[in-house]
Amino acid sequence: MVWRPSSFLTSRWSGCGRTRIGREELARFFTLTRKDLGFIDNLGRGGGRGPAARLGLAVQLCTLPWLGFIPDDLWSVPQAAVLRLANQLAVFPRGA
């Protein structure tokens, strides 16, 4: 499946494949630092990433240290992890 930013914030998050993740893993791997937020928001560079791109980048940024790779299918990321990132970014996936 090819990831398309335009379809990123849809109700498909409710069908994430890996639905189990522990609280410790959530806190350890899915908490954004100030540096992470600066990179995601592209501060000081006249960036302007939209909500879907910001959330997608955050998911990729956090799954890399968690899994050791970025999954081809971002829908396999646990919904709890995506919602945690969405809350930190004040971006809310539709259907969540």
Side-chain angles (χ1 to χ4, degrees), residues 13-86:
W13 281 113
S14 61
C16 290
R18 288 187 60 193
T19 56
R20 297 200 181 255
I21 185 169
R23 285 184 184 190
E24 290 178 19
E25 284 182 306
L26 274 175
R28 180 175 177 195
F29 295 106
F30 292 91
T31 299
L32 299 170
T33 65
R34 283 187 177 179
K35 266 188 163 178
D36 294 336
L37 290 168
F39 178 73
I40 291 166
D41 290 336
N42 205 14
L43 296 175
R45 296 192 179 121
R49 292 184 173 105
R54 291 174 63 230
L55 184 55
L57 182 55
V59 169
Q60 292 177 46
L61 190 64
C62 292
T63 56
L64 182 58
W66 178 52
L67 296 173
F69 63 94
I70 297 171
D72 290 335
D73 182 8
L74 290 180
W75 308 121
S76 66
V77 176
Q79 183 178 19
V82 175
L83 292 176
R84 180 176 174 87
L85 293 172

